[in-house]
Amino acid sequence: MQRANSGFFRISSDKTIGFSSLRHRLRFSINLSPCMDLEAIAPLLGVTNPKTSGDAMNAPNELKSHQLSYHEIVAKYPTVSPFVILKTDVQRRGVTYTTQAIERANPALHLLQFRSIFHTIGEKQTPQIPVSLLLRDGTSILTGMRPDAPAPYLVDFVDGRLVLTDHGQILEEVEYWHKPQYVDKHTSAGTPMWQVATPRPQRLDINPYSYCHFWDDGGGCKYCNISSHFNKERKNNGKPLRIAPRDIYETVREAVKQPGRFANIMLTGGSILSGSQLFDDELQVYIETLQAIGENFTTRRFPSQLIASAFSLDQLARLYEETGLLTYTSDLEVLDDALFNWICPGKAGKLGYQAWKRRLIDAVQIFGTGRVNTGIVGGVETATPHGFASEDEALDATLTEAEDLAQHGVTVVQCVWSPTRGSAFAKQHPPSLEYYVRLSQGLDALRRHYNLNADMDSYRICGNHPDTDLSRI
């Protein structure tokens, strides 16, 4: 990135972004287990089996019919890493596997079991398949098997290599995530540790509470499947509502024994609305959990991130003073007041967009500039019928609000919206790949301009956000 005129950053030769009165001055041009019968279970997984299904890779790509392709985007945006562009599109479109690719997954080496609040791999009623992918520059791709997606990428095994393909064309080599040493062990209560903490390449994820009570009266966020997923997993696999703090303490203790494996611990779960004040009981769950984790460390604070509801200033003070938490995140989800009311009716009804935003800004007083952020579901602002009609309009509105938050010390990061089974938006379609590239550029440029970091959600620690991947450069 080169400095242009005062108050502006030049992102590429024909795209300039300004941060003074951004609404008016922002200008972008859109010019497995060993005994598994893989062939038998392939149809259940949505896995492509070239031996039986022919050239399924050449199926029509519905998403690209009126949009620039991956290669065209790479050519148009030469200042953006092609690895980041590819990661973005894979997360946007999803992925599936040939049986040959699944056969390369080694249960002794690769991570084939995964339990989160949004999806599960390798439970007793589902086969073990690769949890996700790494590109050869170290970029993580967080995407699950999506056989129902209209145009998923395909992982195949060709000429001795695991490769990511699109319509039969090999794009990149990939590697499966490696499993850490703790995942095959059990707590003293007999709980499998892989069900307590989910590893990313360098982060430990813990979901202390798996249900969101905004769904009690149908007010859950429309893009989210947390509650439908919990209900299914509780029925099929006996998933508990809450993980015992002692199980969490023991799992973290075992995980950090592996030298250099983890750089951060992240906690998140569903919102709990009960208590003397809104979210008091949720706050207590996190305090108890963080205190249990803290017993494993000799320092007052430890590398940690909490993604939770928008706590009041008094609640935030308790959280900071009674635990070793280092950074705090509360997700606004969509940076528009009216769309927040439509997409997140529970959050809107209990607190409201402006109050949620104000509590984020207040959190900077407690945790400090650069240690508070908010996540958005990038692209959900284009959902029909009430979303923005054009990508230009959506981008301008989102970055304007992101700048306002940045001016107050709050970082904004985006997750790529991939419509999920079990959510109200399951049949919607995300915006173009180009939209996500432009959004990532804009969010990265805002952080640079306002001297904010994204350490808590960096490519190494988190790996989910294309915009924070750009901070590597």
Side-chain angles (χ1 to χ4, degrees):
M1 182 185 298
Q2 297 178 328
R3 185 74 185 226
N5 297 327
S6 178
F8 289 83
F9 287 88
R10 186 164 298 282
I11 293 177
S12 65
S13 59
D14 65 338
K15 304 167 189 69
T16 304
I17 181 170
F19 294 116
S20 176
S21 302
L22 182 61
R23 182 178 297 278
H24 299 98
R25 300 177 66 181
L26 177 66
R27 298 189 295 277
F28 277 90
S29 298
I30 303 185
N31 282 4
L32 291 186
S33 89
C35 62
M36 190 182 302
D37 182 349
L38 291 171
E39 290 192 30
I41 67 163
L44 300 177
L45 289 174
V47 175
T48 301
N49 183 353
K51 297 177 184 178
T52 59
S53 63
D55 190 8
M57 291 182 288
N58 290 322
N61 186 336
E62 297 174 19
L63 292 177
K64 288 188 175 180
S65 57
H66 301 292
Q67 300 173 7
L68 295 181
S69 69
Y70 161 73
H71 290 292
E72 290 169 328
I73 294 294
V74 169
K76 185 172 181 179
Y77 294 88
T79 62
V80 180
S81 165
F83 293 109
V84 176
I85 295 173
L86 183 58
K87 166 217 185 98
T88 303
D89 208 30
V90 175
Q91 293 185 177
R92 168 178 167 266
R93 290 170 47 189
V95 70
T96 188
Y97 298 81
T98 65
T99 52
Q100 289 88 341
I102 289 182
E103 287 169 348
R104 304 308 301 176
N106 181 352
L109 177 65
H110 298 125
L111 188 63
L112 307 179
Q113 291 178 298
F114 180 95
R115 175 181 274 189
S116 82
I117 53 177
F118 303 115
H119 71 280
T120 296
I121 294 172
E123 292 279 12
K124 61 185 179 182
Q125 294 194 17
T126 57
Q128 294 185 6
I129 59 174
V131 166
S132 209
L133 306 169
L134 281 172
L135 297 176
R136 56 192 170 88
D137 73 331
T139 294
S140 295
I141 301 178
L142 275 71
T143 184
M145 174 83 79
R146 290 192 57 211
D148 58 332
Y153 281 85
L154 182 71
V155 177
D156 202 356
F157 187 68
V158 179
D159 296 332
R161 301 180 301 157
L162 283 170
V163 291
L164 190 66
T165 71
D166 189 21
H167 288 76
Q169 181 182 11
I170 295 175
L171 300 179
E172 264 298 335
E173 289 189 54
V174 292
E175 173 62 285
Y176 298 147
W177 287 8
H178 286 205
K179 71 176 184 179
Q181 295 169 359
Y182 80 88
V183 297
D184 292 329
K185 300 180 180 181
H186 292 73
T187 69
S188 61
T191 306
M193 287 187 175
W194 74 269
Q195 296 181 358
V196 176
T198 298
R200 294 191 186 183
Q202 295 192 46
R203 189 176 84 179
L204 204 60
D205 288 3
I206 299 170
N207 305 135
Y209 196 87
S210 292
Y211 179 82
C212 176
H213 287 277
F214 282 124
W215 282 101
D216 288 350
D217 58 2
C221 298
K222 293 186 181 340
Y223 59 82
C224 184
N225 73 332
I226 179 174
S227 293
S228 63
H229 179 72
F230 171 72
N231 290 333
K232 181 184 73 173
E233 290 302 309
R234 178 176 57 178
K235 177 181 177 181
N236 293 343
N237 297 304
K239 184 175 184 178
L241 178 62
R242 184 178 176 186
I243 301 175
R246 186 69 186 178
D247 278 350
I248 293 173
Y249 159 75
E250 292 180 8
T251 300
V252 172
R253 181 184 63 186
E254 193 63 35
V256 298
K257 289 179 181 178
Q258 187 173 351
R261 182 61 171 84
F262 296 106
N264 200 48
I265 299 171
M266 187 280 294
L267 277 68
T268 193
S271 293
I272 307 173
L273 312 181
S274 54
S276 299
Q277 296 184 46
L278 182 66
F279 307 133
D280 261 355
D281 289 346
E282 179 182 346
L283 174 69
Q284 190 60 35
V285 167
Y286 287 126
I287 288 175
E288 293 172 3
T289 303
L290 285 161
Q291 288 175 344
I293 294 171
E295 293 178 26
N296 291 294
F297 298 91
T298 58
T299 55
R300 171 72 180 87
R301 303 210 172 272
F302 52 91
S304 50
Q305 178 187 18
L306 173 63
I307 305 174
S309 296
F311 295 137
S312 68
L313 199 54
D314 289 344
Q315 291 169 328
L316 290 166
R318 277 195 64 199
L319 185 64
Y320 187 80
E321 292 164 4
E322 297 180 25
T323 76
L325 183 65
L326 195 62
T327 65
Y328 170 74
T329 297
S330 190
D331 293 339
L332 271 167
E333 319 295 7
V334 58
L335 299 186
D336 180 86
D337 204 330
L339 290 180
F340 184 84
N341 292 341
W342 173 50
I343 295 171
C344 305
K347 289 184 174 184
K350 292 293 184 180
L351 197 60
Y353 180 83
Q354 294 301 329
W356 203 285
K357 181 179 174 181
R358 170 47 55 189
R359 289 186 174 196
L360 274 166
I361 294 169
D362 287 346
V364 177
Q365 301 176 39
I366 305 294
F367 289 90
T369 298
R371 293 186 174 180
V372 177
N373 81 355
T374 189
I376 61 173
V377 182
V380 78
E381 58 275 6
T382 65
T384 58
H386 303 301
F388 291 104
S390 76
E391 292 186 355
D392 280 347
E393 185 182 9
L395 189 71
D396 180 46
T398 299
L399 292 179
T400 298
E401 274 290 275
E403 183 183 24
D404 188 52
L405 287 160
Q407 288 173 336
H408 291 89
V410 178
T411 299
V412 178
V413 300
Q414 68 139 331
C415 297
V416 175
W417 176 38
S418 181
T420 303
R421 182 186 299 175
S423 72
F425 280 175
K427 296 188 181 300
Q428 296 259 3
H429 298 284
S432 68
L433 173 59
E434 183 170 22
Y435 179 80
Y436 286 107
V437 172
R438 295 166 64 199
L439 179 58
S440 293
Q441 284 185 306
L443 293 174
D444 175 64
L446 281 168
R447 282 192 292 272
R448 293 174 188 266
H449 184 72
Y450 288 100
N451 197 28
L452 298 172
N453 67 63
D455 291 349
M456 70 190 83
D457 278 312
S458 70
Y459 83 96
R460 189 168 68 94
I461 289 176
C462 178
N464 194 24
H465 313 289
D467 56 293
T468 63
D469 285 7
L470 299 182
S471 299
R472 297 176 64 176
I473 301 172

